[in-house]
Amino acid sequence: SHVFNRPGTYDITISVRSHNDGQIRTRTVENMIVVRPRPDAAFSWKLPEAVIGESVSVQLLNQTERSSSSTWLLGEEQLNSSTSKLKIPGEYPVHLIASNAYGCQDHSIETLRLGDRLGAGAPSSFSPNGDGRYDSFLPKAAAESSGNWSFSVFDSDEVEVFRTDNAQRPWNGELIDGASSEGKRFQWVLIMNDRDGNPMLYSDEVRVE
């Protein structure tokens, strides 16, 4: 027996010594073993920059080289497309079964994480009135992160009113058009990498008091 570690076409040669005359006779069969390459299933996902409500549309990206077909599973449920609407918060096991032109398959699984204000360590409201208490807003997960992240705030019309990737520049409640934000609710989105290095999203509402 022999384990073929690389794809390719292999000739097989056998040599036999005769018990009668002691001679060694050899025979080669060309192209006897054909090992097809197996795909290396790999994928990621794209998260939206704006989120309204308690669900988010996630686009799954098949990054398998020379893949001819693929099947997506969310948990044990097969998806009809590479785009799925998921509820916040939640942790979702995503499976990719990738096939190549030879019919060989490979399987990969990653966990897609979506969090709310509790997971991000963010308050439900803040009061930018200059009293020195809760004058600005930035989720704790962003402020304590050592990696890259992006934080955005949107009004009820899904218009971005603030964006930062600097923990020293949190949102102070100011709007681009100079209007007052007092008494209004805003949706915020924090995109960063999780502990496995995969993109994850936190999103929730915040009220300006």
Side-chain angles (χ1 to χ4, degrees):
S1 64
H2 179 74
V3 176
F4 292 87
N5 294 314
R6 298 186 178 211
T9 302
Y10 297 88
D11 301 339
I12 302 299
T13 299
I14 184 171
S15 296
V16 178
R17 182 187 297 274
S18 172
H19 287 291
N20 297 325
D21 55 17
Q23 292 186 1
I24 297 176
R25 294 175 174 82
T26 299
R27 180 186 176 190
T28 297
V29 179
E30 296 182 350
N31 303 331
M32 183 176 182
I33 302 295
V34 178
V35 180
R36 301 298 188 187
R38 189 184 72 174
D40 186 10
F43 69 95
S44 185
W45 48 81
K46 183 178 180 181
L47 300 170
E49 294 187 355
V51 176
I52 298 299
E54 298 179 351
S55 61
V56 59
S57 183
V58 178
Q59 181 181 0
L60 303 174
L61 306 174
N62 184 0
Q63 299 174 327
T64 308
E65 294 185 4
R66 295 179 292 277
S67 172
S68 61
S69 64
S70 60
T71 300
W72 295 102
L73 298 175
L74 189 64
E76 298 181 354
E77 179 182 355
Q78 183 172 339
L79 301 178
N80 295 324
S81 70
S82 59
T83 301
S84 183
K85 198 161 190 177
L86 305 177
K87 189 174 181 180
I88 303 172
E91 292 195 356
Y92 302 91
V94 180
H95 303 253
L96 171 64
I97 302 173
S99 304
N100 62 15
Y102 303 108
C104 302
Q105 292 185 339
D106 191 30
H107 172 224
S108 180
I109 178 172
E110 298 285 353
T111 300
L112 196 162
R113 295 179 173 88
L114 304 174
D116 58 9
R117 66 178 183 83
L118 296 178
S124 60
S125 63
F126 75 112
S127 53
N129 54 16
D131 65 356
R133 299 182 65 228
Y134 306 107
D135 284 332
S136 61
F137 177 76
L138 184 68
K140 188 177 180 181
E144 296 181 349
S145 174
S146 58
N148 297 327
W149 51 267
S150 175
F151 175 71
S152 303
V153 180
F154 300 85
D155 63 18
S156 57
D157 295 323
E158 301 184 33
V159 176
E160 184 179 274
V161 299
F162 178 78
R163 175 183 290 265
T164 186
D165 57 5
N166 186 347
Q168 304 302 317
R169 197 172 71 87
W171 187 39
N172 60 8
E174 292 183 358
L175 301 180
I176 297 175
D177 59 4
S180 174
S181 61
E182 184 177 352
K184 296 179 181 178
R185 293 183 177 273
F186 297 85
Q187 190 89 21
W188 56 266
V189 177
L190 171 62
I191 296 178
M192 57 193 305
N193 288 337
D194 64 13
R195 57 182 176 270
D196 297 322
N198 294 319
M200 74 166 298
L201 175 148
Y202 294 100
S203 183
D204 214 317
E205 279 191 349
V206 63
R207 175 181 169 84
V208 181
E209 297 182 342

